[in-house]
Amino acid sequence: QALGATPMIGLGAGGSAPFALWGADGNGDGLVTAPDFNLYSAATAAGASGYEVADYNLDALVSAPDFNLYSPNTAAGPTSGVSGF
């Protein structure tokens, strides 16, 4: 169960099902905010690769496409939580 004001995004036409969780919450606090960008920035500066917390699109690289996922999601202001944790 996803909780919060906008916990998921609709992938179908007009925002209908199926639904997915918002990408780019690298620190797992339920928000896509500046600390998630800081994780991305540090990982790119270190030349990180592989499935890092800042690999927001899960392609095993921390690169510009991860920022491209972060940017619109932080602007949308999604918040979510998972019941039972």
Side-chain angles (χ1 to χ4, degrees):
Q1 178 179 10
L3 306 172
T6 55
M8 295 179 283
I9 185 169
L11 302 177
S16 63
F19 289 89
L21 296 175
W22 291 90
D25 181 16
N27 66 358
D29 67 355
L31 304 169
V32 180
T33 55
D36 303 304
F37 172 78
N38 294 341
L39 289 172
Y40 164 80
S41 182
T44 55
S49 64
Y51 294 109
E52 302 283 330
V53 296
D55 178 18
Y56 299 139
N57 67 357
L58 300 175
D59 67 353
L61 300 169
V62 180
S63 56
D66 299 303
F67 176 79
N68 294 340
L69 182 61
Y70 163 83
S71 185
N73 286 350
T74 191
T79 60
S80 67
V82 179
S83 179
F85 291 95

